[in-house]
C-alpha cells in the first residue's frame, strides 16, 4: 500500500503530510520550551533582590556555540536546496558539515558542563567561603586543592559581571576546616537548575536532530535513487526541526548568558 | 510554511540577536565584542538578501 501525500500536496491542507506532521510536533515543542521559559521568568522575577546569579556563564563559549548553530542552519538549508536542484553530492557535503557542527556544539556544551560541575563552593569553619575549580580531591589526602578565591560574604559570589578579572590563586584547604562543600550542579540553586534543564533538553534535541540527519546522510539516502522528491521532502522536514532547535538557542543564549 | 520561510525567520532573529549582543557588549565596555556584533548583524542581513534572491523560485509555503 502506498502512503498518500508524501510528495504531492494534500488538497485540504495545501501541504504534504510530513510537513503538517512536523509543524504539529513543533507546536508541542513550543509548549514544552514555553513552559520552561515561563518557569525561568517566574523564578527570576520572584527572586529576592541581589540573589539571582549574574555572569556565571562563559560568554565566549556561548557565543562560539551560537555561531556554530547559525552556520549549521545555513548548511541545512543548502543541503535541502542541493536536493531541490538535483545535486546529491553537494547535499552529502552540506549535511556532513551540519553533523560536524552539531558535534562541535555538543563538545563545547560538555566543556561548559564540566566547568560548572568542577566548580565548588566551600564553606569553611573560619567563616570564609572558598570558591573555584577543583584541582585535586584525593580521598587519601587530608586536604584538597582548588584554583579560585576566598570571600567573606556569599553575596560576592552572586554577581560576577564586574569580577571577571578578579585575581585567582591555587590554594590548599585542610579537610578538617570544611563545613559544607557543594559543586555548581543543578542542585546548587534555581538558576543552575533551570540552566541545566533548559540547555540539557536543548542538547538532547541537537542529539536527536543529528541522529535524523545522520540517517538521511547514511542509510536513508537510498531513497534518493528511487524517489528523489520524497527524499527531498524528508530533508526539508529534518531541516525544519533543526531550524526550530537553532531558534530555541537564539532565545536561550541571551537569557542565560547575557543577563 | 517551507524551510525557506523558516530560514528567513531564523535570519531575522539572528540579526536581532547580533544587535542585542552588541548592545550588551557596549554597555559592559567590551568594544571589540560590540563591533563584532554589529559586523555580524550586517553580514547576516547581506546573507539574508543574497539567500532570498537565490531562492526566488522556491515557494514560501
Amino acid at each position: 500500500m502506498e502512503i498518500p501525500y508524501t510528495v504531492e500536496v494534500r488538497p485540504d491542507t495545501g501541504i504534504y503530510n510530513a510537513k503538517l506532521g512536523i509543524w504539529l510536533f513543533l507546536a508541542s515543542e513550543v509548549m514544552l520550551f514555553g513552559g520552561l521559559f515561563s518557569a525561568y521568568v517566574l523564578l527570576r522575577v520572584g527572586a529576592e533582590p541581589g540573589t539571582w546569579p549574574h555572569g556565571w556563564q562563559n560568554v565566549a563559549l556561548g557565543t562560539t556555540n551560537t555561531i556554530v548553530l547559525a552556520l549549521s542552519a545555513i548548511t541545512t538549508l543548502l543541503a535541502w536546496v542541493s536536493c531541490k536542484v538535483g545535486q546529491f553530492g553537494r547535499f552529502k557535503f552540506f549535511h556532513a558539515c551540519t553533523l560536524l557542527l552539531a558535534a562541535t556544539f555538543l563538545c563545547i556544551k560538555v566543556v561548559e558542563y564540566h566547568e560548572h560541575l568542577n566548580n565548588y563552593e566551600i564553606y569553611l569553619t573560619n567563616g570564609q567561603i572558598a570558591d573555584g575549580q577543583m584541582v585535586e580531591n584525593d580521598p587519601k589526602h587530608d586536604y584538597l586543592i582548588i584554583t579560585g578565591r576566598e570571600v567573606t560574604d556569599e553575596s560576592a559570589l552572586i554577581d560576577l559581571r564586574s569580577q571577571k578579572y578578579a585575581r585567582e590563586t591555587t590554594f590548599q584547604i585542610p579537610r578538617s576546616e570544611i563545613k559544607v562543600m557543594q559543586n555548581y550542579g543543578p542542585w546548587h540553586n534555581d538558576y543552575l537548575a533551570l540552566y541545566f534543564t533548559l540547555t540539557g533538553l536543548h542538547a538532547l534535541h541537537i542529539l536527536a536532530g543529528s541522529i535524523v540527519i545522520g540517517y538521511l546522510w547514511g542509510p536513508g539516502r537510498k531513497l534518493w535513487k528511487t524517489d528523489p522528491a520524497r527524499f527531498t521532502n524528508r530533508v526539508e522536514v529534518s531541516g525544519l526541526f533543526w531550524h526550530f532547535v537553532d531558534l530555541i538557542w537564539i532565545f536561550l543564549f541571551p537569557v542565560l548568558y547575557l543577563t | 510554511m517551507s524551510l525557506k520561510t523558516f530560514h528567513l525567520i531564523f535570519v531575522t532573529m539572528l540579526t536581532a540577536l547580533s544587535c542585542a549582543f552588541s548592545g550588551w557588549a557596549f554597555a559592559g565596555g567590551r568594544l571589540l565584542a560590540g563591533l563584532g556584533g554589529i559586523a555580524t548583524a550586517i553580514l547576516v542581513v547581506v546573507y539574508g538578501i543574497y539567500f532570498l534572491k537565490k531562492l526566488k523560485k522556491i515557494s514560501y509555503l
Side-chain angles (χ1 to χ4, degrees), chain A residues 7-242:
Chain A
V7 175
E8 71 275 24
V9 167
R10 193 179 151 125
D12 53 354
T13 60
I15 50 176
Y16 60 89
N17 275 356
K19 198 186 273 188
L20 180 68
I22 192 71
W23 277 112
L24 286 173
F25 174 67
L26 293 182
S28 74
E29 290 279 77
V30 168
M31 288 183 251
L32 172 67
F33 278 101
L36 288 169
F37 272 111
S38 302
Y40 177 90
V41 171
L42 288 173
L43 285 168
R44 181 165 178 174
V45 170
E48 290 291 318
T51 59
W52 193 259
H54 295 284
W56 281 25
Q57 301 301 331
N58 189 329
V59 178
L61 287 182
T63 308
T64 309
N65 258 352
T66 308
I67 294 166
V68 165
L69 276 194
L71 288 174
S72 78
I74 295 170
T75 55
T76 310
L77 179 90
L78 290 174
W80 173 60
V81 172
S82 302
C83 284
K84 280 258 179 204
V85 296
Q87 293 180 331
F88 192 64
R90 280 169 65 95
F91 155 78
K92 280 196 290 182
F93 170 74
F94 286 125
H95 252 183
C97 290
T98 308
L99 287 170
L100 276 175
L101 290 164
T104 308
F105 178 89
L106 290 174
C107 287
I108 292 174
K109 206 79 234 154
V110 168
V111 171
E112 282 187 278
Y113 279 8
H114 180 260
E115 263 186 21
H116 284 298
L117 295 171
N118 194 44
N119 201 69
Y120 281 80
E121 186 181 45
I122 305 168
Y123 286 82
L124 304 172
T125 49
N126 64 3
Q128 293 275 92
I129 306 165
D131 183 90
Q133 291 285 319
M134 185 69 72
V135 178
E136 193 187 312
N137 186 12
D138 190 341
K140 284 180 232 158
H141 296 149
D142 58 355
Y143 62 86
L144 47 85
I145 301 171
I146 70 164
T147 298
R149 63 208 174 104
E150 275 190 347
V151 295
T152 48
D153 187 9
E154 197 183 4
S155 62
L157 300 172
I158 295 295
D159 191 349
L160 303 180
R161 284 174 295 188
S162 56
Q163 304 173 36
K164 278 287 170 196
Y165 306 105
R167 197 157 166 253
E168 292 193 337
T169 51
T170 301
F171 50 95
Q172 273 189 16
I173 302 172
R175 287 186 192 276
S176 57
E177 288 181 15
I178 296 172
K179 209 157 70 175
V180 184
M181 181 170 102
Q182 193 183 51
N183 67 349
Y184 282 65
W187 40 80
H188 193 73
N189 58 23
D190 287 348
Y191 169 78
L192 282 173
L194 282 163
Y195 166 77
F196 277 101
T197 307
L198 280 163
T199 57
L201 188 66
H202 179 264
L204 279 177
H205 278 72
I206 292 282
L207 191 65
S210 304
I211 291 168
V212 173
I213 289 170
Y215 172 76
L216 291 173
W217 186 77
R221 68 181 170 195
K222 276 183 258 173
L223 186 65
W224 173 260
K225 286 176 188 159
T226 53
D227 195 348
R230 191 174 167 193
F231 181 80
T232 303
N233 284 351
R234 282 187 178 181
V235 173
E236 184 181 18
V237 166
S238 69
L240 286 169
F241 176 76
W242 196 259

